[in-house]
Amino acid sequence: MQLLESYDEYKDIVGEFRQKNRRYFSNVYFMRSDMERYIRLGRVSYEKAENAVIFYFDEEKYYRVCFYVSNEEKFFIGKQKKKILIKNVFQKGKKREGLQNVEQCLEELGFEKAGTSVKIRGNVPTLFGKCQRMKKYVDTLEKKGYRCVAADPSMYQQIEAMILDSGIIKDYQLNYWTEEEKKEMSEKGSYLCMVDESRRICAAATCVIGKSTIKGVTGVVKEEYKMHGLIVALAYHRFKWLHDNGFKNVQGWILTDNEPSLRYHQSLGYEFLNEYADEWILTAN
């Protein structure tokens, strides 16, 4: 692998590939700002061949791989010291030939399909309106000593451990953030916690807050605090914060086999889009 030095270099590499391969498939879904961030942090490497360009995004615990590959030939991705995650987006029932060829090649290379997610989208004012009925639970919990706070840096590691232990997000789905980025995200309201009177974390909710859209809202409750209504309180506080700060849209992905989560988000008023993503995993070497 060779380190990617700049966004201009990325454009040149992709442009050269496109000139040589008129029929190709790509699963690159990063926005330019996201790509520039990874390059600035020195966390993007690549491998080039005549029929493929493979980009490795180092997420600390795994590599997220995006690529441009020819529809005419097979491509190669070898095992690394970390797991490799490949995410392919498609519309239900409309997998094109290029994607079908990619899936066949991934299976031959030893990748396993880990799951399929569906994209959801919500309107913040509508979601907050739905959450008004939760206010009584919030008031009751506050009387019992539970309150919602913005997480501070000392809480990040514990929150991530809670999320991984819950199984909501796997270790190969956690994005890499520097400590400074986490601090900035926390100040913007990305990390919320429910704590008890001793300031012990009982539940937490995380998301990535962009300029106009919120992505990847995740909520988790410690096992010993489940069935206390804490996730309801977190949802109320999250959408109240978003509403008060003028955000209009929120979006995320849910595994299609996670029935409780699907029902919960449907009850809140989320819209389920006709956009799906298959996740393929290659184990570490």
Side-chain angles (χ1 to χ4, degrees):
M1 288 189 286
Q2 185 171 339
L3 188 67
L4 190 62
E5 299 286 351
S6 68
Y7 189 78
D8 285 339
E9 183 184 12
Y10 165 76
K11 290 195 299 182
D12 290 342
I13 292 171
V14 172
E16 179 185 6
F17 171 84
R18 286 173 169 169
Q19 286 183 346
K20 294 179 180 178
N21 301 273
R22 295 301 179 183
R23 295 184 67 246
Y24 65 86
F25 174 85
S26 175
N27 72 338
V28 175
Y29 51 87
F30 281 111
M31 301 291 287
R32 174 168 177 164
S33 59
D34 296 323
M35 182 74 75
E36 288 177 333
R37 168 184 170 268
Y38 278 98
I39 293 172
R40 184 175 67 255
L41 293 173
R43 305 190 77 84
V44 190
S45 300
Y46 67 92
E47 295 175 340
K48 286 200 307 183
E50 286 295 316
N51 65 327
V53 183
I54 315 297
F55 295 98
Y56 295 82
F57 296 81
D58 188 350
E59 299 282 12
E60 195 71 21
K61 296 179 181 294
Y62 65 98
Y63 287 114
R64 184 189 304 271
V65 163
C66 294
F67 47 70
Y68 286 81
V69 295
S70 170
N71 283 343
E72 312 291 339
E73 305 173 59
K74 294 185 181 298
F75 59 90
F76 178 75
I77 299 175
K79 287 190 174 185
Q80 302 292 334
K81 293 180 179 179
K82 305 176 185 180
K83 292 179 183 177
I84 293 176
L85 167 68
I86 289 178
K87 185 175 180 179
N88 296 326
V89 179
F90 62 96
Q91 289 188 334
K92 189 174 183 179
K94 294 184 178 180
K95 284 189 178 181
R96 297 183 178 180
E97 181 182 358
L99 176 52
Q100 293 176 10
N101 293 340
V102 164
E103 289 182 338
Q104 181 180 344
C105 190
L106 291 177
E107 288 183 336
E108 293 172 358
L109 291 171
F111 280 81
E112 294 184 4
K113 186 176 174 182
T116 301
S117 299
V118 59
K119 190 173 185 179
I120 61 172
R121 178 176 61 200
N123 174 266
V124 170
T126 301
L127 292 169
F128 182 56
K130 289 260 189 181
C131 288
Q132 290 304 306
R133 67 180 187 270
M134 303 174 180
K135 185 66 167 62
K136 61 180 181 180
Y137 295 107
V138 176
D139 293 339
T140 299
L141 286 170
E142 287 181 353
K143 291 177 181 177
K144 294 180 179 180
Y146 296 101
R147 58 194 179 91
C148 182
V149 301
D152 61 55
S154 67
M155 298 174 170
Y156 299 158
Q157 188 173 359
Q158 186 178 352
I159 291 172
E160 287 186 2
M162 285 171 57
I163 291 172
L164 289 177
D165 288 345
S166 73
I168 295 173
I169 291 180
K170 308 298 183 184
D171 61 348
Y172 55 78
Q173 295 173 319
L174 279 177
N175 293 344
Y176 172 78
W177 303 102
T178 65
E179 292 305 311
E180 186 60 32
E181 286 174 326
K182 288 180 182 179
K183 182 176 182 295
E184 183 179 348
M185 290 167 63
S186 179
E187 291 171 351
K188 290 181 177 179
S190 290
Y191 291 79
L192 294 181
C193 297
M194 295 296 296
V195 297
D196 61 17
E197 293 176 323
S198 300
R199 201 173 167 75
R200 287 188 294 263
I201 299 176
C202 309
T206 65
C207 65
V208 178
I209 298 178
K211 292 182 179 179
S212 59
T213 302
I214 310 302
K215 299 180 181 178
V217 176
T218 302
V220 60
V221 181
K222 279 187 176 178
E223 190 66 36
E224 61 267 34
Y225 293 99
K226 288 184 176 180
M227 307 304 292
H228 285 69
L230 295 181
I231 200 69
V232 171
L234 269 177
Y236 172 82
H237 285 292
R238 169 61 71 203
F239 292 121
K240 183 179 187 304
W241 187 94
L242 295 176
H243 183 267
D244 291 348
N245 285 274
F247 287 93
K248 301 299 182 185
N249 299 301
V250 58
Q251 63 185 37
W253 295 85
I254 303 176
L255 285 169
T256 54
D257 61 359
N258 190 340
E259 289 292 338
S261 183
L262 293 173
R263 290 195 300 269
Y264 172 71
H265 286 85
Q266 190 173 37
S267 70
L268 287 178
Y270 275 90
E271 175 188 4
F272 285 71
L273 306 179
N274 187 28
E275 192 169 346
Y276 293 78
D278 285 339
E279 290 185 337
W280 294 81
I281 300 297
L282 183 65
T283 57
N285 189 4

